[in-house]
Amino acid sequence: MILVTGATGTIGTEVVRILAERGERVRAMTRNPQGARLPAELVQAVQADYGNRDSLDAAVAGADAVFLLNAPGPWIEQHDLAMLDAVRSHGVGRVVKLSAIGTGENTGLRVGAWHLPGERALHQGEAAWTVLRPSSFATNTLHWASLIRSGQPVPNPTGDGAQGVIDPRDVAEVAVAALTTPDHAGRTYTLTGPELLSLPDQVDVLRKVLGRPIEIVDVPLDVVKQQLIAAGRDPEFAEGAVHGQRFIAEGGNARLTGDVTAVLGRAARTYATWAGDHRDTFGV
Ligand SMILES: NC(=O)c1ccc[n+]([C@@H]2O[C@H](COP(=O)([O-])OP(=O)(O)OC[C@H]3O[C@@H](n4cnc5c(N)ncnc54)[C@H](OP(=O)(O)O)[C@@H]3O)[C@@H](O)[C@H]2O)c1
C-alpha cells in the first residue's frame, strides 16, 4: 500500500494516476475526499490534515511507502515532521519526499529553508528515503491562460533568467520509480527538463503551439512586491517571493541535470510537449 499525500494537487494527481494504472494499491490523502476527483474504483481516499496528528496515524497505518508532498509555505517543516513522526510510529519502510531545487544550498531562498528540516529528518529516520528536488514546473504557466485567452500581455518579472522547466508528469514518474523499487534509496535527485528556458522563451513556445501572438510586459520587482502586499500577502512573504524572482532573473536557477534520464531511461519531456498537451487550456 502506497500513501500519496498532496494527492489532489499538481504532482500528486499524476503520482496517483500512474500508480493506479500500474495496479499498485494506492491510498490518496486529502482534507476533502468528497470534493476530490480520484479514480475511486482504483484508489482508496483517506481524509487527513497535516495539522491533525491523529488523522496522519489513520492515513499511514498499514502503508508500506509514503509520497510526502506539502503545499508551498512556511508550514512545510511542521507538516513534514508531523508526517515523519507518524511514519516512524507505524514503521513505514520507504518515504519519497518532494522538495525543491536548491534546497541545502546557500541561496537564501525561502523555499529551500522550508524543505531542509524535512530532508534532514528523513536522513536520520529508519525508513529508506529518496528526495526529489524539481526545478520550476511547466504548470506554473497555467496562470497565464486567462490572460492569453483574453489577449492580454503576460507579465515578466524575471527578464531573461532561464530555468530547467520540468513537466510535472516527469516528476511523478520519477516519484513512482522511487516508491516502487529499492533502486533509489538514499538518493537525492535534482529534476529538470531538457532545456533552459526564460519566460520569453516559454511564451515563444506558446506562440508557436497556439499559433497566435502573445505580448509580454516587463514588471519591475518592486512593483511585484507592492502587488503582493496589495493582494493581502504579508510583507515578509512578499520580500521572500521577490528574492526568489531576483534569483531567477540573475541566472541563479539556470541549471540542467540528467537525473530524469538517469531514473527513467529516456529524455525529460520538453516544455513544447507539455504546451501541446495543454493547448485547450490556453483557449485553442
Ligand atoms: N511549482 C513549482 O515550480 C515547484 C518547483 C519545485 C518544488 N515545488 C514544490 O512542490 C510542492 C507543491 O506541489 P504541488 O504543486 O503538486 O502542490 P499543489 O498543487 O499546491 O497541491 C497541494 C496539495 O497539498 C494538499 N494539502 C494542502 N494543505 C494540506 C494540509 N493541511 N493537510 C493535508 N494536505 C494538504 C492539498 O490537498 P487537499 O486540498 O485535497 O487537502 C493538495 O493536494 C511544494 O512543496 C513546492 O515547494 C514546486
Side-chain angles (χ1 to χ4, degrees), residues 167 169 195 205 209 268-279:
D167 188 321
R169 293 173 295 189
E195 56 196 339
V205 169
V209 167
R269 292 176 172 94
T270 63
Y271 180 70
T273 297
W274 177 89
D277 291 342
H278 292 80
R279 300 174 89 235

Side-chain angles (χ1 to χ4, degrees), residues 5-13 29-33 35-36 48-52 55-56 67-73 75-76 79 97-101 111-112 114-115 132-140 163 166 168:
T5 69
T8 59
T10 304
I11 303 294
T13 301
M29 182 171 122
T30 169
R31 290 166 296 176
N32 178 18
D49 189 316
Y50 284 117
N52 178 336
S55 73
L56 299 183
F67 178 62
L68 176 56
L69 181 147
N70 263 291
W75 46 79
I76 287 178
H79 288 180
K97 171 176 159 55
L98 189 85
S99 179
I101 193 167
V111 67
W114 295 336
H115 282 290
L132 310 181
R133 294 175 175 169
S135 187
S136 179
F137 299 166
T139 37
N140 292 348
Q163 306 189 80
I166 186 159

Side-chain angles (χ1 to χ4, degrees), residues 137-152 154 202-203 205-214 271-284:
F137 299 166
T139 37
N140 292 348
T141 58
L142 285 173
H143 76 268
W144 299 340
S146 61
L147 296 172
I148 291 173
R149 282 199 303 269
S150 59
Q152 294 177 68
V154 166
Q202 288 182 281
V203 170
V205 169
L206 288 173
R207 285 189 192 112
K208 291 189 180 106
V209 167
L210 305 177
R212 64 160 73 174
I214 304 170
Y271 180 70
T273 297
W274 177 89
D277 291 342
H278 292 80
R279 300 174 89 235
D280 292 351
T281 312
F282 291 94
V284 173

Side-chain angles (χ1 to χ4, degrees), residues 119-204:
E119 289 195 12
R120 287 187 170 147
L122 265 184
H123 298 165
Q124 288 156 11
E126 297 288 309
W129 57 266
T130 307
V131 169
L132 310 181
R133 294 175 175 169
S135 187
S136 179
F137 299 166
T139 37
N140 292 348
T141 58
L142 285 173
H143 76 268
W144 299 340
S146 61
L147 296 172
I148 291 173
R149 282 199 303 269
S150 59
Q152 294 177 68
V154 166
N156 180 12
T158 52
D160 291 326
Q163 306 189 80
V165 176
I166 186 159
D167 188 321
R169 293 173 295 189
D170 285 343
V171 178
E173 278 188 45
V174 172
V176 167
L179 285 164
T180 54
T181 73
D183 306 349
H184 307 286
R187 305 297 301 273
T188 297
Y189 294 120
T190 297
L191 304 176
T192 73
E195 56 196 339
L196 288 176
L197 296 172
S198 67
L199 187 150
D201 293 333
Q202 288 182 281
V203 170
D204 213 32

Side-chain angles (χ1 to χ4, degrees), residues 1-4 7-8 12-30 33 36-46:
M1 172 68 79
I2 298 172
L3 173 69
V4 178
T8 59
T13 301
E14 296 295 329
V15 173
V16 167
R17 178 184 62 77
I18 299 167
L19 287 171
E21 282 172 5
R22 292 193 183 183
E24 299 285 349
R25 292 174 66 214
V26 184
R27 191 181 287 161
M29 182 171 122
T30 169
R37 277 183 273 161
L38 296 163
E41 65 287 1
L42 300 169
V43 173
Q44 176 190 337
V46 61

